[in-house]
Each structure stands twice: as C-alpha cells, then as structure tokens.
Amino acid sequence: MAHSLKFEKDSVQTSDRVKCVDLHSSKPWILAAVYSGNVCIWNYHSQKTEKSFKVTESPVRSAKFIERENWIVVGADDGLLRVYNCDTMEMIKEIEAHTDYIRCLAIHPTLPYVLSASDDKLIKLWDWEKGWICSRVFEGHGHYVMQAAFHPKALNTFASVSLDGTIKIWNTDSGLLDFTLDAHSKGVNCIEYFMAGDKPFLISGSDDFTAKVWDYETKSCVQELEGHTHNVTAIRVHPELPIIITCSEDGTVRVWDKTSYRLENTLEYGLERVWTAAYVKDSSKVVLGCDKGMVVVSIGGSHVSDAAADV
C-alpha cells in the first residue's frame, strides 16, 4: 500500500522557474531546463552545480539526457533543437525544428529517435543515426502540442496531448494516427504510459484540474483523480513503487495509490507552481521543478528496496 511510504525533503535548490527535470540513471545528476534560457546539471549528492550554461535568450522548456550517446538534447521557445556533449557542453548540432515554442522532448527507450512537440501543432521524429534528419511529421492536433510519450512496449507507438483536449496515438512506422481520445473538457498538458502487469494504461493531466486513467485497450476512462485546485502540469507513475504523482499550478504534488487510485499524500514545499517531476529506476529520489527552483525528495518505507534506498 502506498500509505506506508514516507516522503522526506532532502534538499532545495532555488533558481528561476524550472520547466523540466531529468535524472541520469548512473550519476547523481539532475538536468534542469530553466525558463531564463539556461540549462544546468545539479549534483544531488554534493548539492553543487556541476555545469550551467546559457542556451538562448528564450525560455527552455525541455532538456533530456541521451545517455547512450553521452548527450543532452534541449528544446526552447526559439523553435531550435540543440544537442550538446554532456562532458564538454560543446554544441554538436543545432536544428531549426519548429516555427513556435518546443514544449516537450521524448527520447525513445531503444531506437535512435527523439520526438519534439510544439505550439506549431506538430510533432516531429528525429533520427540521430541519420544525421538528425526529420524522418516523420505528425499533424492532426488543433492546438498547441504539450507533450508526447513513447509506448514502453510497442516500440513504434507514441501518445501525444494538446490544448485541443485530446489524446492521440500515433504509429512511427507509418506516420499515421491510430486513434484519438476526447479526453478532457479543457487542454491536456501531460501524458504517461504505465503497465499494470502486462496491461497498458495511459494517464493524462489537464487544465480541468483533473488527471484521468485510461484503459489503453478499451479506450475508456477507468478513473478520474480529483483534488487539485488548478491545472495539472505533470504526471509520473513510479516504475517500482505503487504510486502515481501529479503536479499542479496549485503548488502541490499529490500522491495516489496506483491500484486503488486513492489519494495517499499531498506534498507542498513553498516553491509556488510545480511544473515537472522526475525519478530514475532503482532510486528513491523524486525531483520536482517549480517556479522558485527544485526540490529533491526521498521516498522511504516498506516498499522501498534496500538498493533503492541507498541511492
């Protein structure tokens, strides 16, 4: 049960508004994309900034590690996609990717693909083994595309969400739309796949203040998570622990039981709006990005393995 878990604040790093955080799987690094146009790597063991640099004068809304290549990929409001060497921070590639803000980047778990989602209503698939060519353009959303997420098992499938209120499922091989869910009464900001056994689910978060759990096979909503008092900005389903985390512009993070969908905890750290969350497999750390900086939270309790608790 999720209620046996304890959440303890490890550290707070104050900064400008943090729009995206990503955790390295083998190093104690948090990659943060900052609204001021900066990207920084924060070491949560030493609690020091490892690297920090200015990307652009525009806000940076997404930054991700591509660990297989030792790269960082960054998307910003100037529509450019930039790739950096993780050690030297030398820029390897700069691409005029979109004609409007880049809201989100998603890294394929095994293939050399990056998805970019934009306010130009397009999602683009980039293949870094082919010189970062744009191999597919996915068109069909009627408003800004806020996020995209690859299916964890079906390697040629991803989901996208938009302020048009829909979830769309796409095929990367054909470039075609598989299906659309009319998901929320207002814009949808975030989407994530998760598995319950072998059964795939989706969870979406919206400007209607709710998150919804979707049975992927029947295309039906099986649960609505209510309680936030402002837009739901980010959702993370923990890969090992039985919890779903939802973040909101109401300044709170809510923790839900992954099976019963019961609200188990409400966390608030005084950093104003919460925009993003990340954790890494085999780790007890959760990182939250907010208006006023980042907070690192440790999860403890009977569900946390000794290995995870040591990270």
Side-chain angles (χ1 to χ4, degrees), residues 77-218:
D77 281 9
D78 58 13
L80 298 181
L81 197 63
R82 297 172 174 90
V83 186
Y84 297 89
N85 179 290
C86 203
D87 294 325
T88 65
M89 291 302 163
E90 177 189 359
M91 188 163 65
I92 297 164
K93 193 77 175 176
E94 185 177 70
I95 305 162
E96 292 184 6
H98 291 274
T99 59
D100 210 331
Y101 300 173
I102 297 175
R103 292 280 177 177
C104 169
L105 301 172
I107 314 303
H108 196 282
T110 57
L111 298 172
Y113 296 160
V114 175
L115 285 171
S116 57
S118 171
D119 283 8
D120 64 11
K121 306 177 189 175
L122 302 177
I123 306 142
K124 295 186 178 182
L125 182 72
W126 307 91
D127 186 332
W128 71 70
E129 284 190 354
K130 295 181 178 177
W132 287 94
I133 65 164
C134 179
S135 56
R136 295 277 185 205
V137 178
F138 303 89
E139 188 170 3
H141 278 298
H143 209 310
Y144 304 160
V145 186
M146 300 301 285
Q147 194 171 22
F150 283 108
H151 193 295
K153 301 290 186 183
L155 298 182
N156 64 346
T157 303
F158 73 91
S160 64
V161 293
S162 166
L163 295 189
D164 64 14
T166 69
I167 301 168
K168 291 184 183 290
I169 309 299
W170 308 86
N171 185 295
T172 56
D173 293 339
S174 67
L176 298 177
L177 179 68
D178 282 350
F179 62 88
T180 299
L181 297 173
D182 289 319
H184 290 268
S185 60
K186 291 188 176 179
V188 191
N189 297 312
C190 46
I191 188 74
E192 179 152 299
Y193 284 95
F194 70 98
M195 305 296 291
D198 293 328
K199 191 176 175 64
F201 290 84
L202 284 165
I203 182 163
S204 56
S206 170
D207 288 347
D208 65 11
F209 305 175
T210 72
K212 290 183 179 180
V213 181
W214 303 87
D215 184 313
Y216 190 77
E217 291 162 352
T218 65

Side-chain angles (χ1 to χ4, degrees), residues 7-39:
F7 295 80
E8 295 185 1
K9 181 173 67 176
D10 277 3
S11 61
V12 173
Q13 169 71 357
T14 58
S15 72
D16 291 329
R17 185 186 312 167
V18 176
K19 293 299 290 184
C20 179
V21 290
D22 193 27
L23 268 75
H24 200 283
S25 67
S26 60
K27 298 176 181 176
W29 286 358
I30 302 164
L31 176 64
V34 184
Y35 196 79
S36 61
N38 287 17
V39 166

Side-chain angles (χ1 to χ4, degrees), residues 1-7 238 240-245 254-265 299-304:
M1 296 291 287
H3 65 260
S4 63
L5 296 174
K6 296 179 175 62
F7 295 80
H238 201 284
E240 284 98 27
L241 302 176
I243 56 172
I244 297 166
I245 289 174
R254 290 177 182 251
V255 183
W256 314 80
D257 187 283
K258 188 168 138 181
T259 305
S260 69
Y261 303 117
R262 185 173 63 186
L263 178 64
E264 298 289 352
N265 211 328
I299 307 173
S302 59
H303 277 284
V304 182

